[in-house]
Amino acid sequence: MIAALNDRLLPEGGFLTRPDGHYRCDATAWAILAAEAHGASTSELAPSRARLTSRQRTDGGLAIDADHGESLWPTPLAAMAWAGSSLSASSQRLAVRYLLESQGLHWDRVPESPIGHDTSIPGWAWTLGAHSFVEPTVLSLLALSRAGEAGHERAQQGAALLLDRQLSAGGWNYGNTLVFGQELVALPSTTGMALCALAGRVARDQVERSLNYLQVEAARIRTPLSLGWALAALDGFGERSDQADAWIEETLARQSVVGAFETSELALLLIGSAPQLSRRDVLGVFAS
């Protein structure tokens, strides 16, 4: 897997989104995390980290590309990627400050609202001026944890948002719980993400149903995004299966049918196959 990842490394630093793809900052951040988890040196990763820095805004945010300056969701990924290097320390500090000072759109809860979650809890959003959702909140929480800001008020708010968005039957959807009285369906990818960010933050009984759901899903899913996050979450709660490496190999084999995985997907599987301490460290996961 590492060889496949390195084949996407550009001479000037940074990674392609896929073998025939183009440079993108989120793919680069994920590739840095995966390479770091497998022992890549600071000097090896320096050009790719520097390329991320070249795209950082003065306020610390990092947009997905020049044409979508309002889409700053890659910022926490970059913060995690910069965390492993003293050369990138100033970039990481700026990104963390941006995360601490930014938040998704929120408003007082209205009893007659058609949606079931608490809209007053501030988390993080995909784009500027949008409502907070599960995935960007998870990435921001993990970045703050890796930066030593796990106890900050904003991190506590993010954890509260995730608990509030947990479905009554267990698991998480992308961001809503009830819509017009109908509970949404849990998804293994977002459930894995949420549990990964909550590992070590909450009591097990607060997420027991979601863990049970994810343990069942992890044994059957063979898509890289869902399996990668599921393994990271179960690892954080001390529930990693002894079949995990075999599941990763089975998932990788699917590329012969569906084609090469996206760099972010490949990186998640690489992190899942790394030594325990390395995979927890690069994602900022607290062990329960």
Side-chain angles (χ1 to χ4, degrees):
M1 280 192 289
I2 282 290
L5 188 71
N6 287 336
D7 285 343
R8 305 177 190 196
L9 176 63
L10 294 164
E12 65 274 26
F15 287 79
L16 300 172
T17 55
R18 54 188 310 118
D20 58 350
H22 56 281
Y23 169 81
R24 216 166 73 177
C25 58
D26 58 323
T28 295
W30 274 118
I32 290 170
L33 292 173
E36 183 186 359
H38 282 267
S41 67
T42 300
S43 60
E44 290 176 300
L45 298 175
S48 295
R49 285 175 167 143
R51 188 162 185 185
L52 285 178
T53 297
S54 71
R55 295 279 295 275
Q56 189 176 29
R57 302 182 346 165
T58 56
D59 65 359
L62 190 77
I64 186 64
D65 59 41
D67 295 327
H68 299 88
E70 75 288 352
S71 297
L72 295 166
W73 59 265
T75 304
L77 286 173
M80 286 191 282
W82 285 320
S85 170
S86 59
L87 296 175
S88 303
S90 60
S91 295
Q92 186 203 18
R93 284 194 298 271
L94 276 174
V96 169
R97 186 181 71 182
Y98 175 84
L99 294 175
L100 293 175
E101 295 177 352
S102 64
Q103 57 188 23
L105 184 66
H106 58 284
W107 56 90
D108 290 341
R109 193 171 193 172
V110 180
E112 62 272 19
S113 173
I115 57 179
H117 66 264
D118 188 346
T119 55
S120 69
I121 306 174
W124 286 268
W126 288 111
T127 62
L128 292 174
H131 188 41
S132 302
F133 268 72
V134 169
E135 295 181 50
T137 296
V138 165
L139 295 177
S140 297
L141 268 179
L142 293 175
L144 293 180
S145 294
R146 192 168 189 202
E149 295 286 357
H152 194 279
E153 179 186 9
R154 287 294 292 117
Q156 294 175 17
Q157 290 169 338
L161 180 144
L162 293 179
L163 284 176
D164 179 72
R165 305 290 180 94
Q166 185 177 205
L167 300 170
S168 64
W172 279 261
N173 197 273
Y174 286 110
N176 295 323
T177 53
L178 298 172
V179 179
F180 292 106
Q182 181 69 46
E183 182 163 275
L184 301 186
V185 176
L187 301 172
S189 58
T190 43
T191 298
M193 292 185 78
L195 286 171
C196 188
L198 291 173
R201 291 181 175 274
V202 301
R204 186 187 179 91
D205 61 5
Q206 292 180 275
V207 294
E208 188 74 43
R209 282 172 293 183
S210 297
L211 278 169
N212 292 339
Y213 160 80
L214 195 62
Q215 286 171 324
V216 172
E217 291 296 302
R220 72 172 188 84
I221 52 177
R222 295 298 178 266
T223 54
L225 188 67
S226 293
L227 181 63
W229 280 115
L231 293 179
L234 294 174
D235 188 32
F237 280 88
E239 295 291 345
R240 184 180 176 88
S241 170
D242 56 8
Q243 297 297 308
D245 290 339
W247 296 343
I248 291 172
E249 291 301 320
E250 291 170 13
T251 302
L252 287 168
R254 295 188 70 249
Q255 292 178 103
S256 63
V257 177
V258 302
F261 292 150
E262 296 281 343
T263 298
S264 58
E265 298 170 335
L266 183 62
L268 264 172
L269 292 179
L270 272 165
I271 293 169
S273 69
Q276 184 182 61
L277 291 178
S278 294
R279 63 178 179 256
R280 285 180 173 174
D281 180 59
V282 297
L283 288 180
V285 177
F286 290 166
S288 293

